Amino acid sequence: MTLALSRALALLAAALAVHSGTAAEAAQAVPVASVTIYPGDIIRDGMLTERDLPDNFPGQAVTALDRTALVGKTVRRTLLPGLPIPINAVAEPKVVSVGAMVRVVYVEGDLNIATYASALQAGGVGDTIAVRNPESGLTISGVIAKDGTVRIGTS
């Protein structure tokens, strides 16, 4: 038996072992794309459908098992209809884009200082990004808040 033939038989045996579940094997409904979803698209509930997969399907550990983990997220790579959606294929939507003028707020105790700066990086809520003050040229880092402002300071 040639090496190529033995490898092919081993792959076939592995594939049969994966797909030869018993009738009593439990299945779970997993969200899958109902249409092709492209990078940059925001996932809406209507873009998803459910598909029954065995409890021990390959890739279960890295697959989104709940619709709520997907709806409202931005797609990072093309999602094809009927296939399970990997967790790393979606991300939080970007609140700030590169070059956008963002409100920068410094808060420490009762002291509040606000200004505007140009975003040097894109980011979502909770991301730390760099911004540049257009008047001074100073670059600072801050955390993006839910309202799209960049927060700097301790409070």
Short mmCIF file of all heavy atoms in Angstrom, two decimals, residues 12 25 28 42 46 52 77 83 86 96 101-102 105 111 114-115 117 128 135 140 145-146 149 153-154:
data_model
loop_
_atom_site.label_atom_id
_atom_site.label_comp_id
_atom_site.label_asym_id
_atom_site.label_seq_id
_atom_site.Cartn_x
_atom_site.Cartn_y
_atom_site.Cartn_z
N LEU A 12 -10.29 9.27 5.40
CA LEU A 12 -11.65 8.78 5.23
C LEU A 12 -12.18 8.20 6.52
O LEU A 12 -13.32 8.45 6.91
CB LEU A 12 -11.68 7.74 4.10
CG LEU A 12 -13.04 7.13 3.80
CD1 LEU A 12 -14.02 8.21 3.38
CD2 LEU A 12 -12.92 6.08 2.72
N GLU A 25 -27.79 10.44 19.55
CA GLU A 25 -26.90 11.57 19.82
C GLU A 25 -27.71 12.86 19.80
O GLU A 25 -28.48 13.14 18.90
CB GLU A 25 -25.83 11.60 18.72
CG GLU A 25 -24.69 12.51 19.02
CD GLU A 25 -23.61 12.37 17.97
OE1 GLU A 25 -22.81 11.43 18.07
OE2 GLU A 25 -23.60 13.21 17.06
N GLN A 28 -27.90 20.22 18.82
CA GLN A 28 -28.19 21.56 19.32
C GLN A 28 -28.37 22.50 18.14
O GLN A 28 -27.75 22.34 17.10
CB GLN A 28 -27.08 22.04 20.24
CG GLN A 28 -25.72 22.18 19.61
CD GLN A 28 -24.70 22.67 20.61
OE1 GLN A 28 -25.03 23.37 21.54
NE2 GLN A 28 -23.45 22.30 20.39
N ILE A 42 -23.04 44.73 9.37
CA ILE A 42 -23.54 44.53 10.73
C ILE A 42 -24.57 43.41 10.67
O ILE A 42 -25.48 43.44 9.83
CB ILE A 42 -24.21 45.82 11.28
CG1 ILE A 42 -23.25 47.00 11.23
CG2 ILE A 42 -24.75 45.59 12.68
CD1 ILE A 42 -22.11 46.94 12.21
N GLY A 46 -32.43 38.95 11.00
CA GLY A 46 -32.95 38.33 9.79
C GLY A 46 -31.89 37.67 8.92
O GLY A 46 -32.22 36.90 8.02
N ASP A 52 -29.40 22.45 13.12
CA ASP A 52 -29.12 21.44 14.13
C ASP A 52 -27.81 20.75 13.82
O ASP A 52 -27.61 20.22 12.73
CB ASP A 52 -30.25 20.39 14.18
CG ASP A 52 -31.51 20.95 14.81
OD1 ASP A 52 -31.38 21.88 15.63
OD2 ASP A 52 -32.61 20.46 14.49
N ARG A 77 -14.87 38.69 8.35
CA ARG A 77 -14.59 37.95 7.13
C ARG A 77 -15.90 37.41 6.58
O ARG A 77 -16.89 37.33 7.29
CB ARG A 77 -13.58 36.84 7.39
CG ARG A 77 -14.07 35.75 8.31
CD ARG A 77 -13.01 34.67 8.39
NE ARG A 77 -13.56 33.47 8.93
CZ ARG A 77 -13.00 32.77 9.90
NH1 ARG A 77 -11.88 33.16 10.43
NH2 ARG A 77 -13.57 31.67 10.32
N LEU A 83 -23.20 27.63 7.26
CA LEU A 83 -22.00 27.21 8.00
C LEU A 83 -21.98 27.84 9.39
O LEU A 83 -22.37 29.00 9.55
CB LEU A 83 -20.73 27.60 7.25
CG LEU A 83 -20.53 26.96 5.88
CD1 LEU A 83 -19.25 27.48 5.25
CD2 LEU A 83 -20.48 25.44 6.01
N PRO A 86 -17.64 31.21 13.31
CA PRO A 86 -16.59 31.27 14.33
C PRO A 86 -16.68 32.57 15.12
O PRO A 86 -17.02 33.62 14.58
CB PRO A 86 -15.29 31.22 13.53
CG PRO A 86 -15.67 30.78 12.16
CD PRO A 86 -17.10 31.16 11.96
N VAL A 96 -15.44 54.71 16.49
CA VAL A 96 -14.57 55.80 16.04
C VAL A 96 -13.79 55.30 14.83
O VAL A 96 -13.26 54.19 14.85
CB VAL A 96 -13.59 56.21 17.16
CG1 VAL A 96 -12.59 57.23 16.66
CG2 VAL A 96 -14.34 56.74 18.37
N MET A 101 -12.93 63.43 14.03
CA MET A 101 -12.76 64.33 15.16
C MET A 101 -13.61 63.79 16.30
O MET A 101 -14.82 63.60 16.14
CB MET A 101 -13.20 65.75 14.81
CG MET A 101 -12.25 66.44 13.84
SD MET A 101 -10.55 66.57 14.42
CE MET A 101 -10.70 67.86 15.62
N VAL A 102 -12.98 63.51 17.42
CA VAL A 102 -13.68 62.94 18.58
C VAL A 102 -13.55 63.88 19.76
O VAL A 102 -12.58 64.63 19.88
CB VAL A 102 -13.14 61.54 18.96
CG1 VAL A 102 -13.41 60.53 17.85
CG2 VAL A 102 -11.66 61.58 19.27
N VAL A 105 -12.31 63.75 26.74
CA VAL A 105 -12.70 64.23 28.07
C VAL A 105 -11.69 63.73 29.08
O VAL A 105 -11.41 62.52 29.14
CB VAL A 105 -14.12 63.74 28.43
CG1 VAL A 105 -14.51 64.22 29.81
CG2 VAL A 105 -15.13 64.21 27.40
N LEU A 111 -12.60 67.70 38.52
CA LEU A 111 -12.04 68.41 37.38
C LEU A 111 -12.48 67.72 36.08
O LEU A 111 -12.25 66.52 35.89
CB LEU A 111 -10.51 68.43 37.46
CG LEU A 111 -9.78 69.06 36.29
CD1 LEU A 111 -10.11 70.55 36.20
CD2 LEU A 111 -8.30 68.83 36.42
N ALA A 114 -12.65 69.17 28.53
CA ALA A 114 -13.08 68.58 27.26
C ALA A 114 -12.49 69.36 26.10
O ALA A 114 -12.35 70.59 26.15
CB ALA A 114 -14.60 68.58 27.17
N THR A 115 -12.11 68.65 25.05
CA THR A 115 -11.60 69.24 23.83
C THR A 115 -11.89 68.28 22.69
O THR A 115 -12.53 67.24 22.89
CB THR A 115 -10.09 69.54 23.94
OG1 THR A 115 -9.69 70.29 22.79
CG2 THR A 115 -9.27 68.28 24.06
N ALA A 117 -10.10 66.11 19.29
CA ALA A 117 -8.84 65.62 18.73
C ALA A 117 -9.15 64.72 17.55
O ALA A 117 -10.27 64.23 17.39
CB ALA A 117 -8.05 64.86 19.79
N THR A 128 -8.69 51.10 23.62
CA THR A 128 -7.78 52.22 23.85
C THR A 128 -7.21 52.64 22.50
O THR A 128 -6.68 51.81 21.76
CB THR A 128 -6.64 51.82 24.80
OG1 THR A 128 -7.21 51.41 26.04
CG2 THR A 128 -5.68 52.97 25.04
N GLU A 135 -4.27 71.36 17.55
CA GLU A 135 -3.64 72.64 17.86
C GLU A 135 -2.21 72.48 18.34
O GLU A 135 -1.31 73.20 17.93
CB GLU A 135 -4.47 73.38 18.91
CG GLU A 135 -5.84 73.77 18.40
CD GLU A 135 -6.73 74.31 19.50
OE1 GLU A 135 -6.26 74.49 20.64
OE2 GLU A 135 -7.91 74.53 19.21
N ILE A 140 -2.15 61.61 22.51
CA ILE A 140 -2.53 61.02 23.80
C ILE A 140 -3.37 59.78 23.54
O ILE A 140 -3.88 59.58 22.44
CB ILE A 140 -3.32 62.02 24.67
CG1 ILE A 140 -4.47 62.63 23.88
CG2 ILE A 140 -2.41 63.10 25.21
CD1 ILE A 140 -5.34 63.59 24.65
N ALA A 145 -15.64 55.56 25.09
CA ALA A 145 -16.85 55.33 25.89
C ALA A 145 -18.03 55.02 24.97
O ALA A 145 -17.93 55.15 23.75
CB ALA A 145 -17.14 56.58 26.72
N LYS A 146 -19.15 54.60 25.56
CA LYS A 146 -20.34 54.23 24.79
C LYS A 146 -20.86 55.36 23.92
O LYS A 146 -21.40 55.14 22.84
CB LYS A 146 -21.45 53.74 25.70
CG LYS A 146 -21.19 52.40 26.32
CD LYS A 146 -22.36 51.96 27.17
CE LYS A 146 -22.03 50.62 27.83
NZ LYS A 146 -23.14 50.13 28.64
N THR A 149 -17.10 59.28 23.00
CA THR A 149 -16.04 60.15 23.48
C THR A 149 -14.84 59.30 23.88
O THR A 149 -14.97 58.11 24.15
CB THR A 149 -16.49 60.99 24.70
OG1 THR A 149 -16.85 60.10 25.76
CG2 THR A 149 -17.64 61.89 24.36
N GLY A 153 -7.97 59.91 32.00
CA GLY A 153 -7.98 60.26 33.42
C GLY A 153 -8.26 59.04 34.27
O GLY A 153 -8.35 57.91 33.78
N THR A 154 -8.42 59.26 35.55
CA THR A 154 -8.54 58.15 36.49
C THR A 154 -9.96 57.79 36.84
O THR A 154 -10.23 56.72 37.31
CB THR A 154 -7.79 58.47 37.80
OG1 THR A 154 -8.30 59.69 38.34
CG2 THR A 154 -6.30 58.61 37.54
#
